[in-house]
Amino acid sequence: MNDKYGRKINYLRISLTDLCNLRCKYCMPENGVGKIEHDSIMKIEEVIKIVKVMVKLGIDKIRLTGGEPLVKKGIIYLIEELNKIKEINEITMTTNGILLYEMAENLKRAGLSRVNISIDTFDKEKYFDVTRGGNLEKVLKGIEKCKEIGLTPIKLNTVLIGGFNDDEIDTFVNYTLENEVDVRFIELMPIGQASDWHKEKFISNQIVLDKFKELIPVKSEDISSPAKYYKLPVSKGKIGFINPVSCNFCSNCNRIRLTSDGKIKPCLHTNEEIDILTSLRRGEDIRSIIVNTILNKPKEHELNENGFIPIIRNMNSIGG
């Protein structure tokens, strides 16, 4: 289905839970998220019902996010059931990687296509600090396990944070020399907990291009991808840049989001949310809600507009 600007909307990102086994400083409050009533969260069966309606409207790509999707009970069953839906071409996941080593084989067997792994530093102590207790070794073991079993291509998502990991740009770029992975630098966005961080610690991805003049542009096969790719002349992997702040990519946006409490978000950078879970539970027609949401998807975000109001929700409850 196309929105009113002619964009084909075929990509659904589903936040399965707002819970996480980490407490990243720019993503979640130190004490974690406030407790949400169990009945307010979509059940696995409800996720499947919503997806089955959406695929009839053209959704053929699913990304599972959180919070941390691997802490969601029934995650393997969900992937198995989504994999049975013939209209779906790809099921992917964004994860912090802490549980990947032990779960990767079952995820692949269930039908997961590939993973994006959030990792903002290769320094064990800095990782422990920014995640408030995370174990970097578990993430690195998870990456190796995914390589081993072919849960690929692997993409590493790295949020550039001034004064924290800008001194590791060389490490991340050079990681692609011997590793067939995509390292994607993501600009820090003014969302929830990160709104104040954005004011003080934002740095543009341009800093990487300025530092590595030898990077060669790589043509993307997917025009809707938010990342612009480059590579070092002899590298096995690629470098991607996702620049929602300094250079938006709204004209080719093909996605909508479903939050863990059953709200559709037509755009990440808006506080607009449409409740679909209540209607589903009442037995009402959710197809019309989805159609209307897609048709009225905003033309573009307003991150750089005067008076922009930062997103209230933290990223862990949106699903990114």
Side-chain angles (χ1 to χ4, degrees):
M1 179 175 174
N2 290 357
D3 67 8
K4 63 184 178 183
Y5 301 105
R7 296 171 297 194
K8 182 180 179 181
I9 309 303
N10 69 323
Y11 183 9
L12 173 65
R13 299 175 70 104
I14 307 171
S15 173
L16 297 175
T17 177
D18 62 343
L19 300 178
C20 188
N21 47 1
L22 297 178
R23 295 287 182 271
C24 295
K25 292 181 176 180
Y26 61 83
C27 181
M28 295 177 69
E30 185 172 2
N31 296 324
V33 296
K35 183 175 176 56
I36 297 178
E37 292 297 323
H38 180 71
D39 286 345
S40 298
I41 301 298
M42 290 187 298
K43 298 177 176 62
I44 292 292
E45 293 75 16
E46 291 170 332
V47 173
I48 295 169
K49 287 180 181 179
I50 293 171
V51 170
K52 285 183 175 179
V53 175
M54 288 192 172
V55 297
K56 298 301 182 184
L57 294 170
I59 295 296
D60 60 16
K61 179 179 179 181
I62 304 288
R63 175 168 296 279
L64 304 174
T65 70
E68 170 50 46
L70 292 182
V71 304
K72 178 72 172 181
K73 291 182 180 179
I75 181 66
I76 300 298
Y77 169 75
L78 172 61
I79 295 171
E80 289 173 340
E81 291 302 301
L82 293 178
N83 195 43
K84 294 176 183 177
I85 302 174
K86 60 180 175 52
E87 292 92 344
I88 297 177
N89 296 324
E90 185 179 55
I91 306 169
T92 64
M93 177 182 289
T94 297
T95 171
N96 60 34
I98 294 291
L99 298 175
L100 255 184
Y101 180 79
E102 57 194 80
M103 297 182 70
E105 291 185 5
N106 286 335
L107 290 167
K108 182 176 174 59
R109 193 175 299 116
L112 190 70
S113 306
R114 56 182 176 82
V115 292
N116 289 11
I117 302 168
S118 301
I119 178 169
D120 298 322
T121 175
F122 279 123
D123 183 288
K124 295 178 184 178
E125 292 183 3
K126 286 165 67 175
Y127 186 86
F128 183 88
D129 176 65
V130 78
T131 61
R132 298 189 177 105
N135 186 330
L136 179 62
E137 284 300 320
K138 290 185 177 181
V139 182
L140 298 178
K141 284 180 65 176
I143 293 172
E144 293 306 312
K145 172 61 75 171
C146 288
K147 291 180 185 177
E148 175 188 326
I149 66 173
L151 197 54
T152 55
I154 298 169
K155 297 180 181 180
L156 304 184
N157 290 342
T158 302
V159 178
L160 271 181
I161 304 170
F164 172 70
N165 60 2
D166 45 338
D167 61 339
E168 291 186 71
I169 290 173
D170 292 54
T171 304
F172 277 102
V173 171
N174 290 328
Y175 185 78
T176 65
L177 285 169
E178 298 300 328
N179 294 277
E180 196 172 344
V181 302
D182 294 347
V183 171
R184 308 197 308 172
F185 292 105
I186 303 174
E187 290 180 340
L188 184 63
M189 294 176 279
I191 294 178
Q193 187 77 8
S195 295
D196 290 336
W197 275 55
H198 176 81
K199 297 173 186 175
E200 300 176 2
K201 302 179 184 294
F202 172 82
I203 50 177
S204 169
N205 277 337
Q206 184 62 40
I207 191 175
V208 183
L209 288 169
D210 291 342
K211 188 177 182 67
F212 285 86
K213 302 289 189 183
E214 66 270 35
L215 285 172
I216 304 167
V218 177
K219 185 177 181 179
S220 176
E221 297 178 358
D222 181 5
I223 64 168
S224 63
S225 171
K228 293 183 178 180
Y229 285 99
Y230 295 75
K231 70 186 301 293
L232 292 169
V234 293
S235 65
K236 294 181 178 179
K238 301 194 297 291
I239 301 295
F241 298 98
I242 299 179
N243 310 322
V245 179
S246 64
C247 181
N248 81 52
F249 36 81
C250 302
S251 61
N252 292 314
C253 183
N254 65 337
R255 65 199 65 189
I256 56 173
R257 292 171 170 79
L258 180 63
T259 66
S260 59
D261 55 354
K263 309 292 195 307
I264 303 179
K265 285 185 71 70
C267 174
L268 173 61
H269 300 290
T270 176
N271 284 307
E272 181 185 6
E273 300 178 348
I274 299 92
D275 184 2
I276 194 174
L277 183 58
T278 299
S279 296
L280 178 71
R281 290 176 175 177
R282 288 175 178 169
E284 297 171 356
D285 175 25
I286 64 170
R287 183 183 185 280
S288 60
I289 298 174
I290 299 166
V291 168
N292 189 59
T293 301
I294 292 175
L295 285 176
N296 290 289
K297 180 177 168 66
K299 182 177 181 181
E300 59 187 21
H301 67 62
E302 299 179 348
L303 282 176
N304 297 314
E305 299 296 323
N306 291 330
F308 171 74
I309 301 174
I311 306 307
I312 297 171
R313 284 220 209 199
N314 285 313
M315 185 65 89
N316 66 286
S317 66
I318 296 175

